[in-house]
Amino acid sequence: MAINEPYKVEILESIKEDPITIYHIGNEWWDLCAGPHVESTGNINRKAVELESVAGAYWRGDEKKPMLQRIYGTAWENEEQLKAYLHFKEEARRRDHRRLGQDLDLFSIQDEAGGGLVFWHPKGAIVRHIIEDSWKKIHIERGYNLLYTPHVAKADLWKISGHLDFYKENMYDQMNIEDELYQLRPMNCPYHILVYKRKLNSYRDFPIRVAELGTVYRYELSGSLHGLFRVRGFTQDDAHIFCLEDQIKDEISGVLDLTEEILLQFGFSKYEVNLSTRPEKAVGGDDIWEKATAALKDALNDKGWSYQLDEGGGAFYGPKIDLKIEDALGRKWQCSTIQVDFNLPQRFDITYVDSNSEKKRPIMIHRAVLGSLERFFGVLIEHYAGDFPLWLSPVQARVLPVTDIQLEYCNEVTKKLKANSIRAEVSHGERLPKLIRNAEKQRIPLMAVVGPKEAETQTVTVRSRFGGELGTMTIDDFVSRIKTATENRTSF
């Protein structure tokens, strides 16, 4: 306090664990820092240092706190490492989903509506529709029942679940409706439990699998909001499995297979897997923790996936598996999670009738594959740098007339493409070279060029964004090749 360092005092007061490490140079300058340090700037390679930017930042991301200046810099062992880092950073900037989202007209966050609330534009919405359709199809095939549940509920529901005790700072304020308090949902779990509780379940009914693309709302400080990666309203690809103790391993194995199938569709094949075990404070007996943890380990071993063990890193309510996907730049993103829960079944007193007609408590498994659609979409944009594969691209083909004389035929071609569920559009009014450049800037995978010859022979000359000229073909052949590539998730 004497040397006017109120922010460090605040940090000191928030540290609950020893040791507290302080670094100082004489009595001139003191810092809270764990290190490591060098004794002199002469120990740093001056050719491997870069001051990058200066930006305003609210203290601890809270807009109600003072605005500070944040200076960004980086230091490396040698100049080659610095150059590699700067190249990586430039590539990351080129792929930034916030810029590409605007350039490609995929989504926006409108100040008039509020921070952290996502508007999906038509092109972004069609990608979301494709993702959702694929997600639903796979889940139905894998024995899940789809649910749709309300976005609000009585506040008492969140008291029972424990969210009001443990998660209140991330929940929106309650609403008074006809003298009863209601709450926007931060999670989907209690709703799925209520669906389970609507009737008496028998051991013969298990496993029971329910899934929902459920939108949730969580309060985040405005300073922490970041494009699609940190928002206040988002849709989780949420699912819950109710099963018996001896079914845990098979259900976890099924979730791992499902996770792999879904992520491979989008080009993600490299994962970092973590298994987190019982923390010091936990609910549930030793036996069930040991059995559940062993089931998670066995499922991972059977899958052949290597994993890191995080001893004591599990949630208080059960062990869990977390999976991070690796993108085109080698960055890792937390997406999939599988969590065994001994807490909510107890809080909501859910039961089933066993073979001896006695009431027992089922095991509950939480799981998400994509995590949130908004965040996953942001990862996809950056992974592909906006160049979505043909099957996922919002516009698969753009039909381009050499002159407006061919416009009527172009409209006929587009109509036939759309009739075959191909996402196509016509663009005209400019010279052909500019039409091609515009299509390439908009990351359109295929262009169908139509001149006098094509109109006369009822054909199109196809140009690929990456493959260049692919030759002239009939409309039926063009349609067939797009449909085959889309169905097989391959290039044209």
Side-chain angles (χ1 to χ4, degrees):
M1 290 294 288
I3 58 174
N4 192 29
E5 291 277 13
Y7 304 115
K8 289 174 185 173
V9 171
E10 186 178 327
I11 292 173
L12 274 169
E13 290 172 345
S14 69
I15 297 174
K16 304 300 181 186
E17 298 177 2
D18 291 332
I20 293 172
T21 55
I22 298 174
Y23 180 76
H24 65 98
I25 299 174
N27 284 318
E28 304 282 325
W29 185 77
W30 295 72
D31 192 26
L32 287 168
C33 185
H37 301 92
V38 292
E39 292 184 8
S40 164
T41 54
N43 297 124
I44 299 172
N45 184 340
R46 62 190 179 88
K47 291 185 177 180
V49 175
E50 180 89 4
L51 289 180
E52 300 173 282
S53 63
V54 178
Y58 289 111
W59 173 239
R60 295 199 157 183
D62 188 344
E63 63 183 350
K64 296 177 182 176
K65 293 185 176 180
M67 172 71 79
L68 308 179
Q69 284 294 104
R70 178 174 286 162
I71 302 171
Y72 293 86
T74 186
W76 299 82
E77 284 186 290
N78 55 56
E79 194 174 2
E80 288 69 30
Q81 288 180 351
L82 174 61
K83 286 179 178 177
Y85 163 75
L86 293 176
H87 174 74
F88 169 86
K89 192 171 179 184
E90 184 57 39
E91 183 63 16
R93 188 180 293 115
R94 185 180 75 85
R95 293 169 178 263
D96 190 319
H97 74 280
R98 294 167 298 178
R99 181 182 64 79
L100 287 171
Q102 182 175 341
D103 291 348
L104 302 179
D105 197 19
L106 300 171
F107 72 91
S108 64
I109 294 171
Q110 305 282 345
D111 289 340
E112 292 89 343
L117 302 173
V118 181
F119 287 73
W120 294 76
H121 298 184
K123 288 181 179 178
I126 197 66
V127 177
R128 174 171 174 159
H129 168 73
I130 296 163
I131 294 170
E132 288 184 349
D133 266 13
S134 173
W135 185 92
K136 289 175 184 177
K137 181 176 181 292
I138 291 172
H139 278 75
I140 291 170
E141 288 172 354
R142 294 296 186 106
Y144 286 81
N145 291 306
L146 301 183
L147 299 179
Y148 293 95
T149 58
H151 290 214
V152 296
K154 291 181 180 178
D156 286 348
L157 185 68
W158 308 106
K159 287 181 184 176
I160 297 170
S161 69
H163 286 95
L164 279 177
D165 294 325
F166 302 110
Y167 203 72
K168 190 172 184 179
E169 69 275 10
N170 292 105
M171 296 170 68
Y172 278 94
D173 290 343
Q174 295 172 359
M175 300 172 280
N176 192 315
I177 309 295
E178 296 180 347
D179 296 327
E180 285 192 291
L181 293 175
Y182 282 74
Q183 184 85 52
L184 278 170
R185 66 175 173 187
M187 307 276 187
N188 301 306
C189 333
Y191 292 85
H192 294 188
I193 290 174
L194 292 184
V195 172
Y196 174 90
K197 284 188 72 170
R198 77 194 188 281
K199 65 176 184 178
L200 187 64
N201 292 287
S202 162
Y203 70 97
R204 296 187 185 90
D205 300 325
F206 292 108
I208 296 171
R209 308 182 190 104
V210 293
E212 177 181 15
L213 293 166
T215 301
V216 298
Y217 303 89
R218 299 178 186 175
Y219 172 67
E220 300 280 358
L221 293 172
S222 60
S224 68
L225 299 175
H226 180 77
L228 296 176
F229 293 157
R230 198 75 177 266
V231 294
R232 287 173 171 166
F234 57 93
T235 301
Q236 286 184 311
D237 69 317
D238 221 349
H240 294 92
I241 300 169
F242 301 92
C243 65
L244 308 177
E245 285 184 24
D246 59 6
Q247 294 174 331
I248 296 175
K249 180 192 168 185
D250 287 344
E251 289 306 305
I252 298 298
S253 294
V255 172
L256 294 178
D257 289 343
L258 177 75
T259 298
E260 183 177 42
E261 182 178 355
I262 291 176
L263 293 179
L264 277 174
Q265 284 188 12
F266 299 101
F268 298 112
S269 58
K270 295 180 180 179
Y271 320 123
E272 177 187 300
V273 183
N274 294 283
L275 171 60
S276 303
T277 62
R278 182 174 184 164
E280 285 187 22
K281 294 182 179 180
V283 298
D286 292 343
D287 289 349
I288 188 60
W289 268 91
E290 289 172 8
K291 192 167 188 175
T293 304
L296 267 60
K297 287 181 179 178
D298 289 346
L300 285 170
N301 290 331
D302 288 353
K303 188 70 182 167
W305 284 358
S306 60
Y307 61 90
Q308 298 174 15
L309 196 60
D310 181 10
E311 293 283 4
F316 75 93
Y317 51 77
K320 63 175 182 170
I321 295 171
D322 289 318
L323 188 148
K324 296 178 182 177
I325 57 176
E326 186 176 310
D327 72 4
L329 290 184
R331 299 172 299 182
K332 291 176 181 172
W333 304 90
Q334 171 69 52
C335 283
S336 310
T337 186
I338 308 165
Q339 304 173 354
V340 181
D341 189 346
F342 312 129
N343 178 50
L344 286 183
Q346 183 177 329
R347 279 182 169 271
F348 282 90
D349 191 26
I350 61 173
T351 59
Y352 69 93
V353 177
D354 70 5
S355 57
N356 297 318
S357 298
E358 294 180 0
K359 285 190 175 181
K360 294 286 180 67
R361 189 112 35 228
I363 298 296
M364 182 178 182
I365 299 171
H366 306 254
R367 53 114 291 213
V369 177
L370 306 179
S372 98
L373 294 187
E374 285 76 6
R375 188 166 182 271
F376 186 73
F377 186 44
V379 173
L380 276 181
I381 294 171
E382 299 204 358
H383 177 63
Y384 289 117
D387 280 306
F388 296 108
L390 181 64
W391 72 274
L392 196 56
S393 182
V395 178
Q396 294 174 299
R398 183 174 281 182
V399 184
L400 309 176
V402 174
T403 69
D404 281 357
I405 297 172
Q406 292 88 40
L407 189 55
E408 184 178 347
Y409 174 62
C410 286
N411 288 328
E412 291 175 14
V413 172
T414 305
K415 186 176 181 181
K416 184 160 187 177
L417 291 171
K418 288 183 175 181
N420 282 275
S421 301
I422 294 167
R423 299 180 295 280
E425 62 185 22
V426 178
S427 181
H428 65 99
E430 303 278 0
R431 295 182 63 204
L432 183 61
K434 187 168 184 180
L435 291 177
I436 291 173
R437 281 198 306 274
N438 289 342
E440 289 181 340
K441 283 177 66 177
Q442 286 296 304
R443 313 301 208 268
I444 310 295
L446 296 172
M447 288 154 270
V449 178
V450 173
K453 184 180 177 182
E454 286 83 5
E456 182 182 341
T457 57
Q458 299 286 287
T459 58
V460 290
T461 295
V462 180
R463 180 183 178 87
S464 165
R465 173 162 155 69
F466 294 107
E469 297 287 348
L470 300 180
T472 301
M473 59 190 74
T474 66
I475 303 173
D476 286 342
D477 189 22
F478 188 42
V479 167
S480 175
R481 290 183 62 177
I482 293 176
K483 290 178 75 171
T484 298
T486 300
E487 288 165 7
N488 296 327
R489 307 286 201 263
T490 57
S491 56
F492 185 83

